[in-house]
Amino acid sequence: MASYSTNEFKGGLKVMLDGDPCNIVENEFVKPGKGQAFNRVKLRNLMTGRTWERTFKSGETLEGADVLDIDMEYLYNDGEMWHFMKTDGSFEQFAADKKAVGDTSRWLKEQVVYTITLWNDNPISVTPPNFIELEVVETDPGLKGDTAQGGSKPATLSTGAMVRVPLFINQGETLKIDTRSGEYVSRA
Amino acid sequence: MSAADWRPGATIEVLHARAAIMRRIRDFFHARDVLEVETPVLGHAGSSDVHLDSLSLSARTPAGDTRLWLQTSPEYHMKRLLAAGSGPIFQLSRVFRDGEAGRRHNIEFTMLEWYRPGFALEELIQEVADLIETVLASPLPQVRLRRYRELFTTHFSVDPLQESPEMLAALRDHAARHAGADTTSWSRDDCCDLLMSLVIEPTLGRDGLDVVVDYPASQAALARKRRDRDGTLVASRFEVYLEGIELANGFDELTDADEQQARFEKDNQQRLALGKPCISTDQKLIDALHSGMPAGCGVALGIDRLIMLALEREDIDSVMAFSLEKC
């Protein structure tokens, strides 16, 4: 991989830091009146999801990370690994472990396309689409009456996710959910 | 790229305010009998300052193809005018510093630089405060002198001017903690620069003007050195901070030609060690100092930043017609 100098650090650049691939979030140039210039860099560790703040002397370099975001369709879970398939017609499959899937497991539905982040060809994270349509498998019976007040109740979706839904939603309905906030958007 | 990208970074309203400020600055100096001068943006000599990178280009001149340097400040040329007997002078000029780009930096920017033969550092500090009040069009609540070593003892309980292995270890430790950087091989000045920029600077100039004085002698650049009141050798220079932003850098100017020559050589040794290109000595400046430059003080002030503060803008781009990204 190529090396990148601090002045090339831009949002989205993938670099290696302390052995982990990281995504550069922010890069701020700071310099005292007379003296060494620095770059204050915010990076997201792609393995842990944690954000790091590091400062480099301007001109220091980091090695690039072989990281790719690829669209893949979710196939199935074999009890240990989650299996995905590329959507480019190659039928190439990748297996992601629990660490890579993380919280996204509650939004995994067959045939939906997810963004899989590969590092050296291994899945390290799975990002769901912003909105997903899922069926309600369990919720208290719908209540008649004052829906304008916006009361809500818990509902379990087909993927196992629990979300708050309006009182008028019934079991068996398909809902549009925002995966970023985990909130109900509308009936699908 | 969108179709709106041709538009300037500053609004037309800001450009009017900027022009009014430039006029006030010229009036300020004319009222004080300081002569406005213009010196070349493109010169035969580059800056040797270890931490400034000059841009250069090749030009076809009557002497053949020649390497010329875009000036990082008009300092060398203005000092030659002083040596030639100009008396007090000021200049509003464009300067260039390679690699410096960010919220408060643009590779090309406007510098206000002025020189006061016969002035002591304190007199020049007062004049800087007067100028800032003129530009802001409001009085500063106070002007405070802050000693470099006392800023560090207040923030970190370390005096960077007391040389010792413990001092260096403590500074590296603080720098590592505040910056998430591997500082094991960093010099004292590296650590100080970092702590100054990231920790101390944001606290300065919050209810008035803070003027930092008595810098480490190693950071003298082109300032004289002198003993501070504790008897430590320090650089006779100051930096001015307002609202957490460094605005100006002033020197009790070095006038000794031999000392100047020695500092150029030392700069180049440090540049070599850092893998930076050597910058040939500006012999005309050395010759001017030999012929005699009057003792006095000079200061350089980043006009774009002062305009940012005057107009309450957060980003240098918003007070420039076209910053690097837009030009």
Side-chain angles (χ1 to χ4, degrees), chain A residues 7 9 24 26 35 44 46-47 80 84 120 124 143 156:
Chain A
N7 64 331
F9 290 2
I24 290 184
E26 240 176 67
R44 202 168 66 84
L46 294 173
M47 300 302 284
E80 187 191 356
F84 295 84
N120 295 335
I124 54 169
L143 295 169
T156 307

Side-chain angles (χ1 to χ4, degrees), chain A residues 6-7 10 17-18 27-41 53-58 60, chain B residues 49 51-52 99-103 105 178-181 186 190 193-194 197-198 201 221 237 239 246 249 251:
Chain A
T6 49
N7 64 331
K10 287 187 189 69
L17 184 63
D18 295 352
N27 176 19
E28 195 190 359
F29 178 81
V30 283
K31 189 178 186 305
K34 293 271 170 196
Q36 175 70 50
F38 301 97
N39 286 71
R40 198 172 196 194
V41 183
E53 267 204 356
R54 291 292 179 99
T55 304
F56 301 90
K57 287 186 192 177
S58 294
E60 282 191 294
Chain B
D49 190 310
H51 298 297
L52 289 183
E100 299 192 8
R103 221 154 48 86
H105 292 86
H178 284 283
W186 285 24
D190 288 342
D193 284 345
L194 182 125
S197 308
L198 293 195
E201 189 175 307
R237 50 172 276 227
E239 286 198 26
E246 184 246 329
N249 213 310
F251 291 168

Side-chain angles (χ1 to χ4, degrees), chain B residues 128 132 238-241 245-250 299-302 305:
Chain B
V128 171
I132 290 173
F238 65 87
E239 286 198 26
V240 176
Y241 291 88
I245 296 179
E246 184 246 329
L247 280 182
N249 213 310
V299 61
L301 186 150
R305 288 188 187 172

Side-chain angles (χ1 to χ4, degrees), chain B:
Chain B
M1 288 286 145
S2 79
D5 281 351
W6 63 271
R7 290 194 167 276
T11 61
I12 301 305
E13 188 189 8
V14 165
L15 293 180
H16 275 279
R18 186 180 171 112
I21 286 172
M22 295 305 234
R23 209 161 47 235
R24 284 213 292 279
I25 292 171
R26 289 196 158 93
D27 290 345
F28 176 90
F29 286 111
H30 291 151
R32 292 177 180 227
D33 284 326
V34 180
L35 178 69
E36 177 164 13
V37 296
E38 293 173 277
T39 61
V41 161
L42 206 52
H44 281 94
S47 168
S48 67
D49 190 310
V50 179
H51 298 297
L52 289 183
D53 294 324
S54 305
L55 288 161
S56 71
L57 51 81
S58 174
R60 281 173 301 167
T61 72
D65 285 354
T66 308
R67 170 101 358 226
L68 296 178
W69 303 85
L70 287 165
Q71 302 295 288
T72 58
S73 104
E75 184 164 9
Y76 297 176
H77 288 119
M78 288 181 82
K79 285 182 170 173
R80 284 164 59 192
L81 291 179
L82 293 169
S86 65
I89 47 176
F90 83 97
Q91 174 161 212
L92 282 160
S93 69
R94 286 305 180 94
V95 295
F96 300 81
R97 296 180 174 185
D98 197 11
E100 299 192 8
R103 221 154 48 86
R104 292 178 194 166
H105 292 86
N106 195 60
I107 286 177
E108 175 181 358
F109 63 102
T110 303
M111 183 85 100
L112 166 62
E113 189 149 326
W114 78 98
Y115 290 87
R116 282 296 208 163
F119 263 37
L121 213 52
E122 293 69 27
E123 290 175 275
L124 186 60
I125 289 171
Q126 185 54 53
E127 189 161 67
V128 171
D130 292 346
L131 176 99
I132 290 173
E133 286 186 335
T134 301
V135 169
L136 298 180
S138 71
L140 293 161
Q142 54 182 326
V143 179
R144 272 176 311 220
L145 289 189
R146 312 288 297 265
R147 295 173 78 207
Y148 190 87
R149 68 186 335 164
E150 284 173 8
L151 290 173
F152 279 78
T153 50
T154 304
H155 281 268
F156 310 111
S157 309
V158 184
D159 181 355
L161 299 186
Q162 291 281 359
E163 297 271 8
S164 76
E166 293 76 27
M167 177 275 287
L168 183 57
L171 283 177
R172 282 176 176 165
D173 188 46
H174 281 291
R177 205 147 0 116
H178 284 283
D182 178 8
T183 58
T184 40
S185 63
W186 285 24
S187 69
R188 177 195 66 169
D189 284 348
D190 288 342
C191 297
C192 285
D193 284 345
L194 182 125
L195 293 169
M196 190 74 189
S197 308
L198 293 195
V199 186
I200 299 174
E201 189 175 307
T203 69
L204 295 176
R206 290 300 174 183
D207 49 358
L209 202 64
D210 274 321
V211 182
V212 181
V213 294
D214 293 351
Y215 277 78
S218 58
Q219 299 178 20
L222 299 189
R224 277 178 206 272
K225 293 174 190 173
R226 63 178 182 84
R227 298 275 162 196
D228 71 0
R229 64 166 183 253
D230 300 314
T232 311
L233 192 66
V234 294
S236 193
R237 50 172 276 227
F238 65 87
E239 286 198 26
V240 176
Y241 291 88
L242 189 58
E243 299 301 338
I245 296 179
E246 184 246 329
L247 280 182
N249 213 310
F251 291 168
D252 181 354
E253 300 293 347
L254 184 65
T255 53
D256 181 323
D258 296 331
E259 170 72 12
Q260 179 70 69
Q261 177 79 48
R263 291 203 196 167
F264 276 150
E265 281 160 18
K266 191 160 177 246
D267 278 351
N268 271 327
Q269 283 165 10
Q270 281 182 272
R271 295 182 73 89
L272 267 181
L274 291 171
K276 293 185 171 195
C278 277
I279 303 290
S280 52
T281 298
D282 184 357
Q283 195 53 47
K284 290 196 172 81
L285 175 63
I286 299 291
D287 291 345
L289 294 181
H290 269 301
S291 100
M293 184 178 104
C297 293
V299 61
L301 186 150
I303 282 299
D304 308 285
R305 288 188 187 172
L306 183 54
I307 294 174
M308 274 169 66
L309 290 176
L311 304 181
E312 296 178 359
R313 304 282 158 156
E314 293 288 315
D315 200 312
I316 202 165
D317 170 76
S318 67
V319 298
M320 294 180 145
F322 301 105
S323 65
L324 184 70
E325 279 185 1
K326 299 212 161 69
C327 63

